[in-house]
Amino acid sequence: MEGDPVKLLASATSPYARKLRVIAHELGITLPVEDTTPMTDPAALLAANPLGKVPALVLEDGSAIIDSPVIAAFLLASVPGQQLMATSGPAHWHARTTEALADGVLDAAIILRFNMAQGITSGPWVDRQYRAIERALSVMNTRVGGSGLGDICCAVAVDYLSFRFPDLDWRSHNPALVALADRLLATPAFIATQPPA
Ligand SMILES: N[C@@H](CCC(=O)N[C@@H](CS)C(=O)NCC(=O)O)C(=O)O
């Protein structure tokens, strides 16, 4: 597993991929994106990631790195002196945990979308996802400003909620997330990675 990133297999609407594209932009890494629709199981994706999920990062030697937190760690490690996240100590683990909270919000949102696609919009499993999202957002709200990486992940997650769940009012109870999103969504990295309408 060696070499520079060659391409990121990703769909234009994947929030996990957006997180990585924003991080790459902030780190000054060129990250070509190969538009990949996971649900059609393209051979190139399955070769890179047997789980059939995007994003997957293909390296120069043909090997791949999968799962957005792992890819994010790879990108950060490739830029010595990067300022997005402490490389060790409590601040490192705080940032990684914020990332996990934001990713978990996305995981719950994706479950809700798969359920919706099957006509399932209520029930205990659906309620459980909404409760997880609500609790995680309120903790993320207290962690804004903890790290550049954490802030990016939080802004990506809430913007995905606005994109896919316009009726979910995450703004009323999370003022720090509102201020963060309003600030970051106006930056070039977020503007360049907006999902298509
Ligand atoms: N934990 C993964 C989640 C990736 C994920 O769920 N991606 C979705 C698209 S946004 C996907 O590829 N879904 C296809 C599937 O679940 O089969 C990450 O952080 O990269």
Side-chain angles (χ1 to χ4, degrees), residues 17-76:
R18 187 184 194 192
K19 170 179 91 174
L20 299 174
R21 292 163 65 207
V22 169
I23 290 169
H25 192 287
E26 296 300 344
L27 292 174
I29 296 173
T30 303
L31 192 57
V33 176
E34 186 166 295
D35 193 31
T36 304
T37 306
M39 300 312 280
T40 61
D41 282 342
L45 176 61
L46 297 186
N49 183 359
L51 299 173
K53 291 177 192 264
V54 294
L57 183 69
V58 179
L59 303 183
E60 274 174 331
D61 70 353
S63 63
I65 298 178
I66 62 165
D67 208 38
S68 66
V70 183
I71 301 170
F74 177 86
L75 295 177
L76 290 166

Side-chain angles (χ1 to χ4, degrees), residues 19-191:
K19 170 179 91 174
L20 299 174
R21 292 163 65 207
V22 169
I23 290 169
H25 192 287
E26 296 300 344
L27 292 174
I29 296 173
T30 303
L31 192 57
V33 176
E34 186 166 295
D35 193 31
T36 304
T37 306
M39 300 312 280
T40 61
D41 282 342
L45 176 61
L46 297 186
N49 183 359
L51 299 173
K53 291 177 192 264
V54 294
L57 183 69
V58 179
L59 303 183
E60 274 174 331
D61 70 353
S63 63
I65 298 178
I66 62 165
D67 208 38
S68 66
V70 183
I71 301 170
F74 177 86
L75 295 177
L76 290 166
S78 69
V79 179
Q82 58 77 24
Q83 298 292 312
L84 286 182
M85 181 179 74
T87 52
S88 63
H92 173 84
W93 300 113
H94 188 278
R96 297 290 300 266
T97 301
T98 305
E99 179 180 23
L101 284 166
D103 285 353
V105 165
L106 296 176
D107 294 343
I110 299 277
I111 289 171
L112 289 170
R113 283 196 36 92
F114 279 125
N115 276 315
M116 282 172 182
Q118 296 172 56
I120 304 167
T121 55
S122 63
W125 182 236
V126 167
D127 292 347
R128 186 168 177 75
Q129 308 313 315
Y130 280 113
R131 287 200 305 274
I133 290 173
E134 193 179 329
R135 286 192 306 265
L137 289 177
S138 89
V139 174
M140 287 154 61
N141 187 61
T142 68
R143 298 167 81 99
V144 167
S147 65
L149 175 87
D151 282 354
I152 289 169
C153 295
C154 289
V156 166
V158 293
D159 200 40
Y160 184 74
L161 293 178
S162 297
F163 173 52
R164 291 300 197 195
F165 298 83
D167 295 334
L168 194 157
D169 178 21
W170 61 268
R171 290 181 163 257
S172 290
H173 304 292
N174 301 295
L177 285 176
V178 172
L180 174 75
D182 288 349
R183 182 168 59 81
L184 288 193
L185 294 179
T187 60
F190 273 84
I191 291 170

